[in-house]
Amino acid sequence: MGILAISAIMVAGAGFYLFSQSFPNFKPGEKKIQADLKVIRQEVLNSMPDLAPLRTEDLESLSSKEIDKSVKKRGTTDQRGVFVTIFEEPAAAYYYRKYLSNKRDALLFAKTYHHEYNYWIKGDEVNLAIDKQQLGVYNEKTGVLIGARSQKTIAQLDKSKPEKMEMNIQGRAIGNIVVPRPGAKDTLSQRCFDFVRNDLSKEEEAILLAIAIFEMVERKI
């Protein structure tokens, strides 16, 4: 199946409306998640700066450096921020909410110039939607993204070398996500990618950014 067919895998709908069928024992429940997603999304849209477009040729400029970062703890732990490029341009705004739970229950909403990303995190599994279309389930430990409709591997992030993780989509190597060194302050050491193909499709670009943003936020929590 070609990469152009990925869009057919993405199930149009309300983002996470199918989650309750797949994971009926989630706490908080679907109604709470839906309500919180709306609140989180609106907060990001209301407060984020103007975002610079991240075209394929610009992806290698995305960095792990943040502006407008804040952390609040009440009934939940809420963290938000905006990742910038190596040129200090705001590029990806996010809001992460962690619920009180014996296991990991969390929400993540992220916004770039072109896309919105929703993540419902339960343990090691991350239900991922792009622009309110359910894409599939990403396993943080294995780096495998399973398609919602096909139930087959769409993408694979090679985590055997965490300092440089190769991303494959439909068997095609499209780029490397890098882990910034702790305390790295120079611009090049803060980059999220050290290589991205220059012939990405729109679907490949969206999926690569979805996984990269998730991995960057997780390193910040």
Short mmCIF file of all heavy atoms in Angstrom, two decimals, residues 34-86:
data_model
loop_
_atom_site.label_atom_id
_atom_site.label_comp_id
_atom_site.label_asym_id
_atom_site.label_seq_id
_atom_site.Cartn_x
_atom_site.Cartn_y
_atom_site.Cartn_z
N GLN A 34 -13.48 14.23 26.05
CA GLN A 34 -13.99 15.11 24.99
C GLN A 34 -14.09 16.54 25.49
O GLN A 34 -13.71 17.49 24.78
CB GLN A 34 -15.36 14.62 24.52
CG GLN A 34 -15.36 13.29 23.80
CD GLN A 34 -14.88 13.41 22.35
OE1 GLN A 34 -14.39 14.46 21.94
NE2 GLN A 34 -15.00 12.35 21.60
N ALA A 35 -14.60 16.72 26.70
CA ALA A 35 -14.76 18.06 27.26
C ALA A 35 -13.39 18.72 27.48
O ALA A 35 -13.19 19.90 27.16
CB ALA A 35 -15.54 18.00 28.57
N ASP A 36 -12.44 17.95 28.02
CA ASP A 36 -11.13 18.52 28.29
C ASP A 36 -10.38 18.86 26.99
O ASP A 36 -9.65 19.85 26.94
CB ASP A 36 -10.29 17.54 29.13
CG ASP A 36 -10.70 17.56 30.59
OD1 ASP A 36 -11.67 18.27 30.93
OD2 ASP A 36 -10.05 16.87 31.39
N LEU A 37 -10.55 18.03 25.98
CA LEU A 37 -9.90 18.32 24.70
C LEU A 37 -10.37 19.66 24.13
O LEU A 37 -9.57 20.44 23.60
CB LEU A 37 -10.18 17.21 23.69
CG LEU A 37 -9.27 15.98 23.74
CD1 LEU A 37 -9.77 14.90 22.80
CD2 LEU A 37 -7.84 16.37 23.37
N LYS A 38 -11.66 19.92 24.25
CA LYS A 38 -12.20 21.19 23.76
C LYS A 38 -11.60 22.36 24.52
O LYS A 38 -11.22 23.38 23.93
CB LYS A 38 -13.72 21.19 23.88
CG LYS A 38 -14.41 20.25 22.91
CD LYS A 38 -15.93 20.31 23.08
CE LYS A 38 -16.63 19.36 22.12
NZ LYS A 38 -18.11 19.40 22.28
N VAL A 39 -11.51 22.22 25.86
CA VAL A 39 -10.96 23.28 26.68
C VAL A 39 -9.49 23.52 26.37
O VAL A 39 -9.04 24.66 26.19
CB VAL A 39 -11.15 22.96 28.18
CG1 VAL A 39 -10.38 23.95 29.05
CG2 VAL A 39 -12.63 22.95 28.54
N ILE A 40 -8.73 22.42 26.30
CA ILE A 40 -7.30 22.52 26.03
C ILE A 40 -7.04 23.15 24.66
O ILE A 40 -6.20 24.05 24.50
CB ILE A 40 -6.65 21.12 26.11
CG1 ILE A 40 -6.59 20.65 27.56
CG2 ILE A 40 -5.24 21.14 25.50
CD1 ILE A 40 -6.18 19.21 27.71
N ARG A 41 -7.78 22.69 23.67
CA ARG A 41 -7.61 23.23 22.32
C ARG A 41 -7.87 24.73 22.30
O ARG A 41 -7.10 25.50 21.72
CB ARG A 41 -8.57 22.52 21.36
CG ARG A 41 -8.54 23.08 19.94
CD ARG A 41 -9.53 22.35 19.04
NE ARG A 41 -9.48 22.84 17.69
CZ ARG A 41 -10.18 23.90 17.24
NH1 ARG A 41 -10.99 24.54 18.08
NH2 ARG A 41 -10.07 24.28 15.98
N GLN A 42 -8.95 25.15 22.94
CA GLN A 42 -9.30 26.56 22.92
C GLN A 42 -8.26 27.41 23.64
O GLN A 42 -7.93 28.52 23.20
CB GLN A 42 -10.68 26.79 23.54
CG GLN A 42 -11.34 28.09 23.12
CD GLN A 42 -11.47 28.22 21.61
OE1 GLN A 42 -12.00 27.34 20.94
NE2 GLN A 42 -10.99 29.33 21.06
N GLU A 43 -7.73 26.88 24.73
CA GLU A 43 -6.70 27.62 25.46
C GLU A 43 -5.45 27.82 24.61
O GLU A 43 -4.84 28.89 24.62
CB GLU A 43 -6.36 26.90 26.76
CG GLU A 43 -7.45 26.99 27.83
CD GLU A 43 -6.93 26.64 29.21
OE1 GLU A 43 -5.73 26.80 29.46
OE2 GLU A 43 -7.76 26.22 30.04
N VAL A 44 -5.08 26.77 23.86
CA VAL A 44 -3.91 26.90 22.99
C VAL A 44 -4.18 27.91 21.88
O VAL A 44 -3.36 28.80 21.60
CB VAL A 44 -3.53 25.53 22.39
CG1 VAL A 44 -2.47 25.70 21.29
CG2 VAL A 44 -3.02 24.59 23.46
N LEU A 45 -5.34 27.81 21.23
CA LEU A 45 -5.65 28.71 20.13
C LEU A 45 -5.74 30.16 20.59
O LEU A 45 -5.37 31.08 19.86
CB LEU A 45 -6.97 28.29 19.46
CG LEU A 45 -6.98 26.91 18.79
CD1 LEU A 45 -8.33 26.66 18.13
CD2 LEU A 45 -5.86 26.78 17.78
N ASN A 46 -6.22 30.35 21.82
CA ASN A 46 -6.39 31.72 22.32
C ASN A 46 -5.07 32.37 22.75
O ASN A 46 -4.96 33.60 22.74
CB ASN A 46 -7.35 31.73 23.51
CG ASN A 46 -8.78 31.48 23.11
OD1 ASN A 46 -9.14 31.60 21.93
ND2 ASN A 46 -9.62 31.12 24.06
N SER A 47 -4.10 31.56 23.13
CA SER A 47 -2.89 32.13 23.73
C SER A 47 -1.62 31.98 22.90
O SER A 47 -0.62 32.64 23.19
CB SER A 47 -2.64 31.47 25.10
OG SER A 47 -2.42 30.07 24.95
N MET A 48 -1.65 31.14 21.88
CA MET A 48 -0.41 30.88 21.14
C MET A 48 -0.04 32.08 20.27
O MET A 48 -0.89 32.83 19.79
CB MET A 48 -0.57 29.63 20.27
CG MET A 48 -1.49 29.81 19.08
SD MET A 48 -1.68 28.29 18.14
CE MET A 48 -2.61 28.91 16.72
N PRO A 49 1.24 32.26 20.03
CA PRO A 49 1.68 33.31 19.09
C PRO A 49 1.42 32.86 17.66
O PRO A 49 1.05 31.71 17.42
CB PRO A 49 3.18 33.42 19.38
CG PRO A 49 3.56 32.05 19.85
CD PRO A 49 2.38 31.54 20.63
N ASP A 50 1.61 33.74 16.73
CA ASP A 50 1.51 33.35 15.32
C ASP A 50 2.59 32.32 15.02
O ASP A 50 3.77 32.53 15.34
CB ASP A 50 1.69 34.57 14.41
CG ASP A 50 0.52 35.55 14.50
OD1 ASP A 50 -0.59 35.10 14.89
OD2 ASP A 50 0.73 36.73 14.20
N LEU A 51 2.18 31.21 14.41
CA LEU A 51 3.12 30.11 14.15
C LEU A 51 3.69 30.21 12.74
O LEU A 51 2.97 30.50 11.79
CB LEU A 51 2.42 28.76 14.34
CG LEU A 51 1.83 28.50 15.73
CD1 LEU A 51 1.09 27.16 15.74
CD2 LEU A 51 2.91 28.52 16.80
N ALA A 52 4.97 29.91 12.64
CA ALA A 52 5.62 29.89 11.33
C ALA A 52 5.28 28.58 10.62
O ALA A 52 5.25 27.52 11.25
CB ALA A 52 7.13 30.01 11.49
N PRO A 53 5.01 28.62 9.32
CA PRO A 53 4.74 27.38 8.58
C PRO A 53 5.96 26.46 8.61
O PRO A 53 7.09 26.92 8.46
CB PRO A 53 4.45 27.88 7.16
CG PRO A 53 4.13 29.32 7.29
CD PRO A 53 4.93 29.81 8.46
N LEU A 54 5.71 25.17 8.83
CA LEU A 54 6.78 24.18 8.76
C LEU A 54 6.60 23.36 7.49
O LEU A 54 5.95 22.32 7.49
CB LEU A 54 6.76 23.27 10.00
CG LEU A 54 7.33 23.84 11.29
CD1 LEU A 54 7.12 22.86 12.44
CD2 LEU A 54 8.82 24.17 11.14
N ARG A 55 7.16 23.85 6.41
CA ARG A 55 7.14 23.09 5.17
C ARG A 55 8.23 22.03 5.23
O ARG A 55 9.08 22.07 6.12
CB ARG A 55 7.36 24.02 3.98
CG ARG A 55 6.29 25.11 3.83
CD ARG A 55 6.65 26.09 2.73
NE ARG A 55 7.86 26.83 3.08
CZ ARG A 55 7.83 28.00 3.72
NH1 ARG A 55 6.68 28.53 4.08
NH2 ARG A 55 8.96 28.62 4.00
N THR A 56 8.19 21.09 4.31
CA THR A 56 9.19 20.01 4.33
C THR A 56 10.61 20.57 4.41
O THR A 56 11.44 20.07 5.17
CB THR A 56 9.04 19.13 3.08
OG1 THR A 56 7.76 18.50 3.09
CG2 THR A 56 10.12 18.05 3.05
N GLU A 57 10.88 21.61 3.64
CA GLU A 57 12.23 22.17 3.62
C GLU A 57 12.59 22.89 4.92
O GLU A 57 13.75 23.22 5.14
CB GLU A 57 12.39 23.13 2.44
CG GLU A 57 11.44 24.30 2.43
CD GLU A 57 10.15 24.04 1.64
OE1 GLU A 57 9.75 22.86 1.55
OE2 GLU A 57 9.57 25.01 1.15
N ASP A 58 11.56 23.12 5.78
CA ASP A 58 11.81 23.81 7.05
C ASP A 58 11.91 22.87 8.24
O ASP A 58 12.26 23.31 9.34
CB ASP A 58 10.68 24.81 7.34
CG ASP A 58 10.52 25.84 6.23
OD1 ASP A 58 11.54 26.34 5.75
OD2 ASP A 58 9.37 26.13 5.86
N LEU A 59 11.57 21.59 8.07
CA LEU A 59 11.45 20.70 9.22
C LEU A 59 12.75 20.58 10.02
O LEU A 59 12.72 20.49 11.25
CB LEU A 59 11.00 19.31 8.76
CG LEU A 59 9.54 19.20 8.27
CD1 LEU A 59 9.24 17.77 7.84
CD2 LEU A 59 8.57 19.66 9.34
N GLU A 60 13.87 20.58 9.34
CA GLU A 60 15.14 20.42 10.04
C GLU A 60 15.47 21.62 10.93
O GLU A 60 16.41 21.56 11.73
CB GLU A 60 16.27 20.16 9.05
CG GLU A 60 16.19 18.79 8.41
CD GLU A 60 17.39 18.49 7.52
OE1 GLU A 60 18.44 19.15 7.68
OE2 GLU A 60 17.28 17.60 6.66
N SER A 61 14.69 22.69 10.81
CA SER A 61 14.93 23.86 11.67
C SER A 61 14.17 23.77 12.99
O SER A 61 14.42 24.57 13.91
CB SER A 61 14.53 25.15 10.94
OG SER A 61 13.11 25.24 10.81
N LEU A 62 13.25 22.81 13.14
CA LEU A 62 12.49 22.69 14.38
C LEU A 62 13.42 22.28 15.52
O LEU A 62 14.25 21.37 15.37
CB LEU A 62 11.38 21.64 14.23
CG LEU A 62 10.49 21.42 15.45
CD1 LEU A 62 9.71 22.69 15.79
CD2 LEU A 62 9.53 20.26 15.19
N SER A 63 13.27 22.95 16.67
CA SER A 63 14.13 22.64 17.80
C SER A 63 13.31 22.29 19.03
O SER A 63 12.09 22.45 19.06
CB SER A 63 15.04 23.85 18.12
OG SER A 63 14.34 24.82 18.89
N SER A 64 14.00 21.82 20.06
CA SER A 64 13.34 21.47 21.32
C SER A 64 13.29 22.66 22.27
O SER A 64 12.76 22.55 23.38
CB SER A 64 14.08 20.31 22.00
OG SER A 64 15.41 20.70 22.32
N LYS A 65 13.80 23.79 21.85
CA LYS A 65 13.77 24.99 22.68
C LYS A 65 12.34 25.50 22.79
O LYS A 65 11.59 25.48 21.81
CB LYS A 65 14.67 26.07 22.10
CG LYS A 65 14.76 27.33 22.96
CD LYS A 65 15.72 28.34 22.38
CE LYS A 65 15.78 29.59 23.24
NZ LYS A 65 16.73 30.60 22.68
N GLU A 66 11.96 25.96 23.99
CA GLU A 66 10.59 26.40 24.23
C GLU A 66 10.52 27.86 24.66
O GLU A 66 11.45 28.39 25.27
CB GLU A 66 9.93 25.56 25.33
CG GLU A 66 9.68 24.12 24.98
CD GLU A 66 9.01 23.40 26.13
OE1 GLU A 66 7.81 23.65 26.37
OE2 GLU A 66 9.69 22.59 26.78
N ILE A 67 9.38 28.46 24.35
CA ILE A 67 9.03 29.75 24.92
C ILE A 67 7.65 29.62 25.56
O ILE A 67 6.94 28.64 25.33
CB ILE A 67 8.99 30.87 23.85
CG1 ILE A 67 7.97 30.54 22.75
CG2 ILE A 67 10.37 31.10 23.26
CD1 ILE A 67 7.77 31.68 21.76
N ASP A 68 7.29 30.57 26.38
CA ASP A 68 5.96 30.61 27.02
C ASP A 68 5.65 29.32 27.78
O ASP A 68 4.49 28.89 27.84
CB ASP A 68 4.86 30.87 25.98
CG ASP A 68 5.03 32.18 25.25
OD1 ASP A 68 5.70 33.08 25.81
OD2 ASP A 68 4.52 32.32 24.13
N LYS A 69 6.66 28.71 28.39
CA LYS A 69 6.43 27.46 29.10
C LYS A 69 5.85 27.72 30.49
O LYS A 69 6.27 28.64 31.18
CB LYS A 69 7.73 26.68 29.23
CG LYS A 69 7.55 25.30 29.89
CD LYS A 69 8.84 24.49 29.84
CE LYS A 69 8.64 23.13 30.49
NZ LYS A 69 9.87 22.30 30.41
N SER A 70 4.88 26.90 30.87
CA SER A 70 4.30 27.01 32.21
C SER A 70 3.85 25.64 32.67
O SER A 70 3.51 24.77 31.86
CB SER A 70 3.11 27.98 32.22
OG SER A 70 2.02 27.46 31.47
N VAL A 71 3.86 25.45 33.99
CA VAL A 71 3.40 24.19 34.60
C VAL A 71 2.47 24.55 35.76
O VAL A 71 2.82 25.38 36.60
CB VAL A 71 4.58 23.34 35.12
CG1 VAL A 71 4.06 22.06 35.76
CG2 VAL A 71 5.55 23.02 33.99
N LYS A 72 1.30 23.91 35.79
CA LYS A 72 0.35 24.13 36.88
C LYS A 72 -0.09 22.77 37.42
O LYS A 72 -0.35 21.84 36.65
CB LYS A 72 -0.88 24.91 36.39
CG LYS A 72 -0.58 26.33 35.96
CD LYS A 72 -1.85 27.04 35.52
CE LYS A 72 -1.56 28.47 35.09
NZ LYS A 72 -2.80 29.17 34.64
N LYS A 73 -0.20 22.69 38.75
CA LYS A 73 -0.65 21.47 39.39
C LYS A 73 -1.87 21.78 40.24
O LYS A 73 -1.82 22.61 41.14
CB LYS A 73 0.45 20.86 40.25
CG LYS A 73 1.64 20.37 39.44
CD LYS A 73 2.66 19.67 40.31
CE LYS A 73 3.82 19.15 39.47
NZ LYS A 73 4.82 18.41 40.28
N ARG A 74 -2.96 21.12 39.89
CA ARG A 74 -4.16 21.20 40.71
C ARG A 74 -4.72 19.79 40.74
O ARG A 74 -4.04 18.90 41.20
CB ARG A 74 -5.14 22.24 40.16
CG ARG A 74 -5.17 22.39 38.64
CD ARG A 74 -6.10 23.51 38.24
NE ARG A 74 -6.34 23.57 36.81
CZ ARG A 74 -5.69 24.34 35.98
NH1 ARG A 74 -4.73 25.13 36.45
NH2 ARG A 74 -5.97 24.35 34.69
N GLY A 75 -5.96 19.56 40.29
CA GLY A 75 -6.44 18.19 40.21
C GLY A 75 -5.70 17.41 39.13
O GLY A 75 -5.62 16.19 39.15
N THR A 76 -5.12 18.15 38.19
CA THR A 76 -4.30 17.57 37.13
C THR A 76 -2.98 18.32 37.10
O THR A 76 -2.84 19.39 37.69
CB THR A 76 -4.98 17.69 35.76
OG1 THR A 76 -5.22 19.09 35.49
CG2 THR A 76 -6.30 16.93 35.71
N THR A 77 -2.00 17.76 36.40
CA THR A 77 -0.77 18.49 36.13
C THR A 77 -0.81 18.96 34.70
O THR A 77 -0.88 18.15 33.77
CB THR A 77 0.47 17.60 36.35
OG1 THR A 77 0.51 17.17 37.72
CG2 THR A 77 1.74 18.35 36.02
N ASP A 78 -0.81 20.28 34.51
CA ASP A 78 -0.93 20.86 33.18
C ASP A 78 0.38 21.55 32.80
O ASP A 78 0.91 22.35 33.56
CB ASP A 78 -2.06 21.89 33.15
CG ASP A 78 -3.43 21.25 33.26
OD1 ASP A 78 -3.50 20.07 33.64
OD2 ASP A 78 -4.43 21.93 32.96
N GLN A 79 0.88 21.21 31.62
CA GLN A 79 2.10 21.83 31.12
C GLN A 79 1.84 22.31 29.70
O GLN A 79 1.21 21.63 28.91
CB GLN A 79 3.26 20.83 31.13
CG GLN A 79 4.57 21.41 30.62
CD GLN A 79 5.75 20.50 30.91
OE1 GLN A 79 5.92 20.03 32.02
NE2 GLN A 79 6.58 20.28 29.92
N ARG A 80 2.35 23.50 29.41
CA ARG A 80 2.16 24.04 28.07
C ARG A 80 3.42 24.76 27.64
O ARG A 80 4.26 25.12 28.46
CB ARG A 80 0.96 25.00 28.05
CG ARG A 80 1.10 26.18 28.96
CD ARG A 80 -0.23 26.89 29.20
NE ARG A 80 -0.84 27.34 27.96
CZ ARG A 80 -2.05 27.86 27.88
NH1 ARG A 80 -2.79 27.98 28.98
NH2 ARG A 80 -2.53 28.26 26.74
N GLY A 81 3.54 24.96 26.34
CA GLY A 81 4.71 25.65 25.82
C GLY A 81 4.62 25.77 24.32
O GLY A 81 3.67 25.29 23.69
N VAL A 82 5.62 26.39 23.74
CA VAL A 82 5.70 26.56 22.29
C VAL A 82 7.12 26.24 21.85
O VAL A 82 8.08 26.88 22.30
CB VAL A 82 5.35 28.00 21.86
CG1 VAL A 82 5.45 28.14 20.33
CG2 VAL A 82 3.96 28.40 22.34
N PHE A 83 7.27 25.23 21.00
CA PHE A 83 8.58 24.91 20.44
C PHE A 83 8.89 25.90 19.32
O PHE A 83 8.02 26.26 18.53
CB PHE A 83 8.61 23.48 19.89
CG PHE A 83 8.50 22.43 20.95
CD1 PHE A 83 7.38 21.61 21.02
CD2 PHE A 83 9.52 22.24 21.87
CE1 PHE A 83 7.28 20.63 21.99
CE2 PHE A 83 9.42 21.26 22.86
CZ PHE A 83 8.29 20.46 22.91
N VAL A 84 10.13 26.31 19.27
CA VAL A 84 10.54 27.28 18.26
C VAL A 84 11.55 26.64 17.31
O VAL A 84 12.08 25.56 17.57
CB VAL A 84 11.15 28.54 18.90
CG1 VAL A 84 10.14 29.22 19.80
CG2 VAL A 84 12.43 28.20 19.68
N THR A 85 11.81 27.32 16.21
CA THR A 85 12.82 26.86 15.27
C THR A 85 14.19 27.36 15.75
O THR A 85 14.31 28.14 16.69
CB THR A 85 12.56 27.40 13.86
OG1 THR A 85 12.78 28.82 13.85
CG2 THR A 85 11.14 27.10 13.41
N ILE A 86 15.24 26.93 15.06
CA ILE A 86 16.58 27.40 15.40
C ILE A 86 16.73 28.89 15.11
O ILE A 86 17.71 29.51 15.53
CB ILE A 86 17.66 26.59 14.66
CG1 ILE A 86 17.48 26.69 13.16
CG2 ILE A 86 17.65 25.14 15.11
CD1 ILE A 86 18.59 26.02 12.35
#
